[in-house]
Amino acid sequence: MKVLKFGGTSVANPENIHKVKSIVAQADNDQIAVVVSAFGGITDLLLNTSRLASTQDLSNKEGLKEIEDRHLSAVKSLIPVQSQSAVLSHVKSELNTLETLLEGSYLIGEITPKLSDKIVSFGELLSSYIISEFFKAEGLDASFKDSRELIKTDSNFGKANVDFQLTNANCQAYFSSNAKRITVLPGFVASSKSGDSTTLGRGGSDYTAAILAAAMDVELLEIWTDVSGMYTANPKLVKQAKCVANISYEEAMELSHFGAKVLYPPTIQPVLGKEIPIAIKNTFEPDSPGTLIAKNSNGNGKTVRGISHVGNISLLSLEGPGMVGIPGISKRFFETLSLKNISIVLITQASSEHSICVGISDDDVDLAAEAVNETFEYEIASKKIKPVMVEKDLTIVALVGDNMKSHQGLSGKMFSTLGKNNVNIRAIAQGASERNISAVIKKDDVKKALNSLHEAFFEENIKQLNLFVMGVGNVGAKFLDQIRRQKKYLKEELKLNIRVIGISNSRTMAFDENGIALKDWESDLANGESANREAFFQKVKSLNYRNSVFVDNTASAEVSNTYPDYLKNSISVVTCNKIACSSDFDYYKNLKHLAKQYNAPFLFETNVGAGLPIIDTLKHLIASGDKVKKIQAVLSGSLNFVFNTFNDSVTFHDVVKEAQEQGYTEPDPTIDLSGVDVMRKILILARESGHQLNIEDIANESFLPKESLETNSNEAFFASLKKYEADFQQLYNEAAASDCKLKYLAQFENGKAKVGLQKIPKGHDFYNLEGSDNIVLFFTERYPNQPLIIKGAGAGADVTASGIFADIIRIGNF
């Protein structure tokens, strides 16, 4: 004999019920018991309708109408017309009884647990009857049996306790005499010894199937649901979750207790003693292997088998000096909760006996707090114990595995993984069996926590980075293209899975929680919502993804002012925008502080030298104990391009225009030509060397006429360049006459910095600097005479994008 149980989604509609029939028809056992749940959503509808009736809300009639329509529609879809009359008559009779019960609840203005059980049982009773009649109509050798006649319980309505001795005798007597090959039974429902309808608790249809399986000592219990087995984590929250092929009874119980909804926790108990395997199968993918739950099925010695969670948890804490060394405190505490029928999910107690903390359902916490305060009223009044403390909106996450006890470092790995992602742990518990490590966290962090832990324990060290990119102009577009082209390489070689979740320009922004397809990002952005910096941040914050990175490809001061918001939420910041790091020194220091405090890297390598490793090299020098004595540099790729291209046969205006068109300058070219851009860069290098400077401390010997500096538009600026062409030609001619080249230099020495145009003679390190290249000379205690030189392309969208990309990879390797 075999027992098959089908859940609410499996029998949600006629289409699904046809799939159930195909599965049952293909089963090759001589005798089959088919346990079914109520049609999907009906149990909740019954509970809500009865609640409305008990509050004398006439809208309960609407719920009843929906229940009636669902079942009558199913009969008409599943049963041939010539056979419908008798089935419809029976269903309508049952619905009339249900209506009478609801009317009774409405008239008295209340609903008792006994009446609630009677009302809610109609879901399974109707679905199982209709499905059995459908099986008959399809030619299957099937019959219907009311589970209330077999499963006997006490009168603990809502979650009745089974009398197994009587139940087993009833089941064995019935199935030994039943001539039908297939028996369809309602799950969830039972009856007391006095004949009243009782229920086995939400999810009780699984339990019904397990009770029947154990009573008949079957070869296999099959639980058919809408997922292909038990997963390493909830696949709705963790996309990378994998099905676990084999798992032990004990591991399955731990996972189901901690929220793995694919299996109702009490299900395993009846079959455990008889070692009857349980197969978790998918009604919609019947050929999928699913999960087999059996004795010692521990996955070839694997440690962590799954990560689960229980939501809607509150912490209830009792503490005070009057608890230390006083016998009976714990007994009184737990007895108080027990008398109020409050279930405890998690317990933790300080070794000093100074406090007891328990995790309970949010629904019970107010009642629990009131009861505990009443129990310890005297101690609270005498200040020996504090009033009970309550923390709501929490979730328990748990690692589960039979072999965890024999492996060191698992708890450390768990807690460090959560810590790195700024997931605060409110309480910790580990079972005596060492099969479970649990942590209580904020419910808002559950998705981040589950994904972080799954990545750490199941994904072969592949780290996922979630990017939110603001600015998709020249640099931003190149950056996205580089990610697209390197995505496969990064995953295979560097174990990095990079996803772009959000993008924005100055007009629109777009998000895709599963990652934007980078070959179509322009289309997604064009069809996005209106851009808004605050809304962009709030979206990033609400998604609360692990390893989130905000990428700023703009030159906007307003965007740079948002960095603290991201860092405070443990969102890393990568930027080519120099404004933040060259703004007020206190702001710069605060950003560095926030990055450390919230474990969120703040990287800005491209602020100086685009893709050149200038800042990174400087950081390594400082970290190794070296001290910078002097920095000399050509730090503006745009100005180097301008003065390498400018001569007596071209106009200065045309050269600057070309530099702008090729993307060497900022959108506002005065930022480059005024020297402000170079001032920012040498300021950043000075600060990274350990010196406290502000932009006003840097001397700027500008070569531009005052009129050009004071223009307020690009058009006016370029017009002024034409006006002063003779002055620019004079600068060139004077340098050429001395056999020198014009270079815009930055220098930092003895705590002071300056920038300005200089004539560079032959033989100087800067003389042959071509195109838009940058060069930096670091004179340090270790490099006092022959400086450490970094040289290469220092401007352009491609190299700047590659520098941003390199910072992203650095974060991935943290």
Side-chain angles (χ1 to χ4, degrees):
M1 181 176 175
K2 183 186 286 187
V3 177
L4 284 71
K5 178 265 174 178
F6 293 90
T9 52
S10 298
V11 295
N13 53 54
E15 180 184 358
N16 292 359
I17 293 170
H18 275 280
K19 291 181 171 63
V20 169
K21 188 267 296 183
S22 297
I23 292 167
V24 173
Q26 291 172 19
D28 55 6
N29 295 71
D30 293 335
Q31 197 171 28
I32 302 168
V34 178
V35 178
V36 298
S37 296
F39 294 162
I42 289 295
T43 300
D44 286 334
L45 192 55
L46 282 163
L47 287 169
N48 187 54
T49 301
S50 62
R51 181 187 60 80
L52 292 172
S54 69
T55 59
Q56 298 183 324
D57 187 332
L58 286 172
S59 63
N60 78 86
K61 299 288 186 181
E62 298 173 8
L64 179 62
K65 180 68 166 57
E66 184 177 346
I67 293 166
E68 181 180 340
D69 290 345
R70 286 276 304 275
H71 289 92
L72 295 180
S73 175
V75 171
K76 293 172 183 176
S77 297
L78 293 169
I79 309 299
V81 175
Q82 62 271 23
S83 305
Q84 280 183 13
S85 180
V87 179
L88 286 171
S89 177
H90 177 85
V91 171
K92 287 178 180 178
S93 175
E94 292 289 287
L95 289 169
N96 287 338
T97 303
L98 173 61
E99 183 177 16
T100 300
L101 294 172
L102 290 169
E103 285 177 353
S105 177
Y106 178 86
L107 290 172
I108 64 175
E110 67 173 340
I111 185 166
T112 63
K114 180 177 179 179
L115 179 56
S116 179
D117 269 8
K118 196 177 291 287
I119 289 172
V120 81
S121 67
F122 279 87
E124 274 74 11
L125 292 170
L126 287 168
S127 68
S128 56
Y129 172 75
I130 293 169
I131 290 170
S132 69
E133 292 299 316
F134 168 62
F135 283 1
K136 293 177 189 176
E138 291 289 305
L140 299 183
D141 184 22
S143 64
F144 168 77
K145 181 63 176 176
D146 190 339
S147 299
R148 294 177 297 182
E149 298 174 13
L150 302 178
I151 301 175
K152 294 299 176 178
T153 69
D154 61 13
S155 296
N156 183 30
F157 298 103
K159 196 172 183 180
N161 300 297
V162 176
D163 181 334
F164 282 98
Q165 184 175 357
L166 183 55
T167 296
N168 290 346
N170 288 343
C171 292
Q172 291 160 9
Y174 171 75
F175 284 106
S176 62
S177 61
N178 180 37
K180 296 292 185 180
R181 180 170 172 266
I182 300 167
T183 303
V184 182
L185 305 100
F188 179 55
V189 297
S191 67
S192 66
K193 295 170 187 176
S194 59
D196 293 313
S197 293
T198 59
T199 59
L200 303 176
R202 291 302 298 265
S205 292
D206 285 354
Y207 195 25
T208 301
I211 292 166
L212 294 176
M216 300 309 297
D217 201 12
V218 304
E219 62 188 61
L220 180 69
L221 167 60
E222 294 182 1
I223 306 290
W224 290 82
T225 181
D226 57 353
V227 292
S228 298
M230 299 191 79
Y231 279 70
T232 49
N234 185 338
K236 293 179 180 178
L237 297 177
V238 181
K239 299 299 182 186
Q240 293 79 24
K242 306 166 186 174
C243 183
V244 181
N246 298 280
I247 195 168
S248 72
Y249 290 117
E250 293 79 9
E251 288 169 332
M253 280 194 288
E254 291 281 357
L255 285 171
S256 59
H257 175 70
F258 281 91
K261 299 187 188 309
V262 72
L263 189 67
Y264 180 52
T267 300
I268 295 169
Q269 292 293 351
V271 297
L272 177 59
K274 294 192 174 182
E275 298 181 5
I276 298 170
I278 305 172
I280 309 295
K281 303 278 285 181
N282 190 341
T283 304
F284 310 101
E285 295 179 17
D287 295 329
S288 178
T291 297
L292 185 69
I293 303 170
K295 183 181 179 182
N296 297 327
S297 190
N298 59 9
N300 298 319
K302 292 182 180 178
T303 53
V304 178
R305 305 305 314 287
I307 305 166
S308 197
H309 73 286
V310 183
N312 301 316
I313 292 294
S314 292
L315 283 182
L316 196 73
S317 301
L318 186 69
E319 64 177 62
M323 295 173 60
V324 179
I326 305 299
I329 293 289
S330 297
K331 174 182 178 296
R332 291 168 62 195
F333 180 75
F334 292 117
E335 188 174 60
T336 298
L337 298 178
S338 176
L339 290 172
K340 295 296 182 180
N341 202 29
I342 294 171
S343 178
I344 297 173
V345 184
L346 174 143
I347 303 171
T348 180
Q349 182 171 12
S351 58
S352 65
E353 304 179 36
H354 185 263
S355 68
I356 303 173
C357 178
V358 297
I360 60 177
S361 168
D362 283 340
D363 296 336
D364 295 329
V365 70
D366 293 331
L367 174 62
E370 181 181 350
V372 173
N373 281 333
E374 184 177 332
T375 297
F376 292 94
E377 184 177 8
Y378 170 75
E379 289 86 351
I380 292 170
S382 57
K383 309 293 185 184
K384 293 179 180 179
I385 294 178
K386 298 177 183 178
V388 70
M389 291 181 291
V390 172
E391 292 180 72
K392 297 183 178 182
D393 299 325
L394 302 172
T395 292
I396 299 173
V397 293
L399 295 188
V400 173
D402 279 341
N403 296 305
M404 286 167 52
K405 60 186 175 184
S406 57
H407 285 76
Q408 293 76 34
L410 289 179
S411 58
K413 185 176 181 181
M414 176 184 183
F415 301 141
S416 66
T417 298
L418 294 176
K420 286 177 182 177
N421 285 277
N422 202 37
V423 176
N424 187 37
I425 298 172
R426 290 296 305 115
I428 297 167
Q430 183 168 9
S433 67
E434 300 183 48
R435 191 177 287 119
N436 172 307
I437 304 173
S438 304
V440 182
I441 63 172
K442 291 193 302 182
K443 72 174 184 180
D444 292 342
D445 287 332
V446 66
K447 187 173 182 180
K448 181 197 287 186
L450 291 175
N451 279 276
S452 300
L453 292 171
H454 196 273
E455 185 176 83
F457 287 98
F458 291 102
E459 295 178 32
E460 300 177 353
N461 296 321
I462 292 179
K463 187 173 184 178
Q464 182 173 287
L465 299 181
N466 298 292
L467 308 189
F468 299 87
V469 182
M470 187 166 286
V472 287
N474 285 341
V475 173
K478 295 288 186 183
F479 170 65
L480 293 176
D481 186 57
Q482 289 176 12
I483 293 177
R484 181 186 62 80
R485 288 188 279 111
Q486 289 297 105
K487 191 174 181 67
K488 182 179 179 182
Y489 172 85
L490 292 172
K491 194 165 186 179
E492 292 178 354
E493 301 298 326
L494 300 184
K495 303 300 181 183
L496 292 177
N497 179 25
I498 296 181
R499 305 189 308 170
V500 177
I501 306 298
I503 53 176
S504 177
N505 57 21
S506 60
R507 298 176 303 280
T508 56
M509 60 185 187
F511 293 87
D512 187 328
E513 296 184 18
N514 295 316
I516 293 170
L518 294 183
K519 62 180 180 180
D520 299 320
W521 68 264
E522 293 98 333
S523 174
D524 289 344
L525 188 58
N527 295 313
E529 58 188 293
S530 296
N532 181 289
R533 285 188 300 274
E534 177 60 23
F536 191 90
F537 164 69
Q538 291 298 336
K539 180 68 173 180
V540 178
K541 181 181 176 182
S542 66
L543 287 173
N544 199 22
Y545 282 161
R546 71 199 188 282
N547 305 325
S548 291
V549 184
F550 174 63
V551 183
D552 178 15
N553 296 319
T554 75
S556 165
E558 290 80 7
V559 174
S560 72
N561 288 335
T562 66
Y563 296 172
D565 295 331
Y566 288 97
L567 295 172
K568 287 176 184 177
N569 285 277
S570 296
I571 299 164
S572 302
V573 174
V574 171
T575 180
C576 60
N577 185 342
K578 291 177 281 292
I579 294 176
C581 289
S582 59
S583 60
D584 183 78
F585 182 79
D586 289 340
Y587 184 67
Y588 158 82
K589 287 295 290 182
N590 184 50
L591 292 177
K592 304 274 278 192
H593 169 72
L594 291 175
K596 292 179 182 177
Q597 181 179 358
Y598 293 97
N599 196 35
F602 171 47
L603 301 181
F604 43 90
E605 182 65 63
T606 50
N607 278 196
V608 182
L612 295 176
I614 295 172
I615 294 176
D616 195 51
T617 301
L618 178 56
K619 285 180 177 178
H620 286 307
L621 288 172
I622 301 300
S624 68
D626 204 354
K627 292 184 179 179
V628 174
K629 297 296 185 181
K630 181 169 69 172
I631 302 173
Q632 289 183 323
V634 173
L635 294 174
S636 174
S638 54
L639 283 172
N640 199 44
F641 173 85
V642 166
F643 286 109
N644 277 334
T645 308
F646 178 53
N647 54 49
D648 54 5
S649 61
V650 294
T651 68
F652 192 71
H653 166 278
D654 290 348
V655 172
V656 175
K657 195 72 174 175
E658 182 183 354
Q660 185 192 42
E661 290 170 354
Q662 292 194 25
Y664 291 138
T665 72
E666 300 285 352
D668 177 4
T670 58
I671 294 174
D672 295 283
L673 272 74
S674 67
V676 170
D677 186 62
V678 179
M679 291 171 71
R680 288 172 176 165
K681 291 175 180 178
I682 194 64
L683 174 63
I684 292 169
L685 293 182
R687 287 176 170 179
E688 290 296 303
S689 301
H691 294 267
Q692 184 171 334
L693 271 74
N694 278 312
I695 195 80
E696 55 267 21
D697 299 322
I698 300 173
N700 182 4
E701 301 167 1
S702 178
F703 66 90
L704 283 178
K706 184 179 179 181
E707 182 180 334
S708 298
L709 290 171
E710 294 177 349
T711 57
N712 55 15
S713 69
N714 284 357
E715 292 78 8
F717 175 71
F718 281 110
S720 74
L721 296 186
K722 288 182 179 180
K723 180 178 179 180
Y724 291 98
E725 177 63 28
D727 292 351
F728 300 130
Q729 288 293 338
Q730 183 178 348
L731 287 173
Y732 172 79
N733 291 330
E734 288 175 357
S738 304
D739 204 15
C740 294
K741 288 185 177 180
L742 293 171
K743 301 291 179 184
Y744 200 88
L745 265 59
Q747 182 167 308
F748 174 73
E749 187 175 12
N750 297 324
K752 295 183 178 180
K754 63 179 180 179
V755 300
L757 191 66
Q758 294 187 28
K759 300 170 188 174
I760 304 298
K762 282 185 178 180
H764 193 283
D765 288 315
F766 297 167
Y767 184 84
N768 291 316
L769 193 66
E770 300 297 332
S772 61
D773 286 359
N774 281 189
I775 186 169
V776 179
L777 279 57
F778 287 118
F779 293 87
T780 72
E781 288 184 348
R782 294 179 190 153
Y783 299 91
N785 300 315
Q786 294 297 321
L788 176 62
I789 300 175
I790 302 173
K791 178 182 177 183
D798 268 324
V799 292
T800 302
S802 70
I804 295 168
F805 203 164
D807 275 347
I808 299 295
I809 293 172
R810 286 188 183 94
I811 289 176
N813 291 328
F814 276 177

